[in-house]
Amino acid sequence: MAKLVLIGAGSVVFAARLIKDILSYPDLGGSEIALVDIDEDRLDLIAAYAKKLSRDAGAELVIERTSDRRRVLPDADFVIVTIQLGAECRAPDIEIPRRYGVDQAVGDTIGPGGVFRALRTVPTILDICRDMEELCPNALLIDYTNPMAIICSSISRASAVDFVGLCHSVQGTAAQIAGYIGIDIAELDYWTAGINHMAWYLTLERDGRDVYPLLRDASGRKAIYDQDPVRFEILKHFDYFVTESSHHMSEYVPYFRKTGADIDSLGMRRFDAERLERRQAEHYGRIRRELAGEEESDLSRSNEYGIQIVHSVVTGTPRRINANVPNAALITNLPPKSCVEVPCIVDSTGVHPCHVGDLPPQLAALNRTSINIQDMAVEAIFSGRRADVIQAVMLDPLTSSIVDPDTIVDMVNELFEAERDWIPSSFYDEVAVSESR
């Protein structure tokens, strides 16, 4: 059976989801799961929850908990990473740019917030990769951590580990599309490719027939349009439906968030740190109630690809997923060093990305605007130069549509000061700071 190491197990939503997915496959029932987190309280909670779920399912999972990943990495088959570095930086990631007029929706993969999250996160991801190279060189790294594309590009630049990056936007959006056009998700066939959070449904079919006309008709109905206004506007003007939600997609392009009135007119919510804290507390509260027997545990399988990969590799069951991988001539009109999200076949021999070819040119152009930021952020991570960070933020479509270059310098420097405890020290030396002036 497989040995899985889950790093960031205190991320209770993902951890609980992945454990339930393992339990949903009887032929993974004897697997070993090592739960790793530096927060001992959360780690104790999720370990107790995992053992409860295993008992409820009548499974024989071997569950271990530790704050020392190196102790459990030897002989691992799969290493799943769901970490967040510097949770207290989420608020300044959003609130400092907002004072300069840049009102991000999520700020975890793109824009100023995405770049600074990368600066905090990538060094630890690369430390994990180095540990894997030493202790479990044949294991597959499955990354769920954002900013996905910057992380994956950094891994491919600095490490030899086998990895994929996973998101649930492709399969999640497919279910939404099926709902919009009134069919069951099992009837919808799709071929989707692009970059993380901006991949495109290149084909949408039912029984071999194109259902894009049905989706366009659905967008003309106010009750449906109002559920997804940004994505329907992108469909209207660029001809294809995109994978990420209207809320998140709105910060990838310069059209929808220039003013508060823009945001309000499309019914999009604003970032609210207190709301996120309440949601997190609700998740942990639900876990505690289930442990106390006050609520029933739902053991149904999620739509996440992570354990589907594990199941296919362990059992040889072939399936197709979408994953983030290096662009090794997969999408031929996107840069070769970029991270792309493409269909992949998974079987007992691993994850095999599919060749896509050229995207429609307008879609590749939209993707490249984000790849430019990702590439420059990766350059900054490895150079340690503050000037590279500033240039990455200057390339962001939303930021550059609102803020002039000198003001962007001030904003980035303010972010550096607010997040000093979490950013590598090289960005604070005399040379790095002088380059930003």
Side-chain angles (χ1 to χ4, degrees):
M1 284 291 99
K3 178 179 179 181
L4 295 83
V5 177
L6 177 54
I7 300 177
S11 175
V12 68
V13 175
F14 265 119
R17 196 175 293 170
L18 295 173
I19 292 164
K20 291 176 183 179
D21 287 351
I22 293 170
L23 293 169
S24 74
Y25 292 103
D27 37 12
L28 295 179
S31 297
E32 179 181 349
I33 305 175
L35 303 171
V36 182
D37 205 286
I38 59 174
D39 187 316
E40 295 283 355
D41 291 339
R42 291 184 179 182
L43 185 58
D44 286 341
L45 180 67
I46 196 61
Y49 188 57
K51 291 175 182 177
K52 175 190 183 298
L53 294 176
S54 183
R55 289 193 302 270
D56 290 350
E60 297 181 355
L61 292 181
V62 179
I63 298 168
E64 184 176 4
R65 46 92 64 213
T66 181
S67 58
D68 179 8
R69 66 175 181 259
R70 288 183 59 86
R71 187 168 70 79
V72 292
L73 281 175
D75 302 320
D77 300 298
F78 305 92
V79 178
I80 302 175
V81 181
T82 64
I83 63 173
Q84 181 176 195
L85 275 295
E88 61 264 40
C89 297
R90 287 295 308 277
D93 276 351
I94 300 295
E95 291 166 359
I96 290 173
R98 183 182 283 171
R99 290 205 303 271
Y100 288 85
V102 183
D103 198 339
Q104 301 165 100
V106 181
D108 68 345
T109 55
I110 198 75
V115 171
F116 272 79
R117 191 181 182 108
L119 297 180
R120 300 192 301 268
T121 306
V122 169
T124 297
I125 295 286
L126 295 182
D127 284 344
I128 292 170
C129 290
R130 284 186 280 270
D131 286 347
M132 289 178 63
E133 289 170 351
E134 176 188 350
L135 301 171
C136 53
N138 297 319
L140 175 66
L141 171 62
I142 299 174
D143 178 60
Y144 273 105
T145 302
N146 282 322
M148 178 66 65
I150 298 174
I151 287 171
C152 289
S153 294
S154 298
I155 294 172
S156 64
R157 176 166 170 168
S159 176
V161 300
D162 190 16
F163 75 92
V164 294
L166 296 182
C167 182
H168 45 242
S169 60
V170 173
Q171 65 271 42
T173 294
Q176 290 176 290
I177 292 171
Y180 293 153
I181 63 177
I183 67 172
D184 190 275
I185 180 58
E187 301 177 76
L188 185 65
D189 296 317
Y190 50 90
W191 185 253
T192 310
I195 63 172
N196 184 231
H197 293 175
M198 198 194 285
W200 310 95
Y201 293 88
L202 302 176
T203 62
L204 284 170
E205 295 180 345
R206 180 194 189 194
D207 296 329
R209 300 186 63 179
D210 181 19
V211 298
Y212 257 116
L214 298 179
L215 185 59
R216 291 187 175 91
D217 287 345
S219 72
R221 299 195 288 274
K222 186 176 187 303
I224 291 178
Y225 175 91
D226 287 348
Q227 295 177 52
D228 229 341
V230 170
R231 290 202 287 196
F232 283 127
E233 287 298 311
I234 294 294
L235 171 63
K236 173 183 174 182
H237 294 288
F238 290 96
D239 305 324
Y240 291 85
F241 207 73
V242 70
T243 52
E244 194 49 51
S245 67
S246 280
H247 177 62
H248 209 346
M249 180 62 185
S250 68
E251 64 183 346
Y252 275 75
V253 288
Y255 314 119
F256 304 108
R257 304 188 69 87
K258 290 184 180 180
T259 67
D262 290 340
I263 298 169
D264 293 341
S265 69
L266 292 169
M268 291 183 287
R269 64 182 183 272
R270 302 284 181 84
F271 176 88
D272 184 340
E274 291 183 0
R275 180 180 62 84
L276 288 178
E277 289 176 4
R278 287 194 302 272
R279 281 180 56 194
Q280 189 175 66
E282 289 168 4
H283 288 309
Y284 288 107
R286 176 178 50 78
I287 297 297
R288 291 187 179 95
R289 289 192 298 275
E290 289 183 33
L291 281 170
E294 298 169 2
E295 287 188 23
E296 291 290 323
S297 297
D298 179 7
L299 290 173
S300 60
R301 184 181 301 168
S302 78
N303 66 357
E304 298 289 350
Y305 289 138
I307 305 305
Q308 293 182 38
I309 292 176
V310 173
H311 185 258
S312 287
V313 173
V314 171
T315 68
T317 305
R319 51 170 53 91
R320 196 183 82 195
I321 65 164
N322 270 70
N324 292 271
V325 295
N327 188 25
L330 301 172
I331 300 180
T332 44
N333 56 350
L334 292 183
K337 291 183 179 180
S338 59
C339 171
V340 292
E341 190 167 73
V342 296
C344 299
I345 303 299
V346 193
D347 58 24
S348 62
T349 62
V351 180
H352 309 285
C354 299
H355 176 78
V356 174
D358 276 4
L359 295 178
Q362 74 276 22
L363 306 185
L366 284 169
N367 284 164
R368 284 194 292 266
T369 61
S370 288
I371 291 171
N372 291 337
I373 308 159
Q374 295 159 9
D375 285 352
M376 201 66 220
V378 172
E379 186 64 29
I381 288 164
F382 287 95
S383 73
R385 296 176 68 244
R386 194 177 288 205
D388 292 340
V389 177
I390 291 168
Q391 289 167 358
V393 175
M394 284 184 179
L395 292 170
D396 175 55
L398 178 62
T399 302
S400 61
S401 72
I402 296 169
V403 186
D404 65 80
D406 285 340
T407 307
I408 290 174
V409 173
D410 293 339
M411 179 180 71
V412 170
N413 284 332
E414 187 174 343
L415 281 162
F416 270 115
E417 288 310 305
E419 303 186 13
R420 177 183 286 270
D421 291 344
W422 290 97
I423 303 295
S425 60
S426 61
F427 291 102
Y428 297 89
D429 65 31
E430 186 176 344
V431 173
V433 174
S434 66
E435 285 175 341
S436 71
R437 292 173 179 159

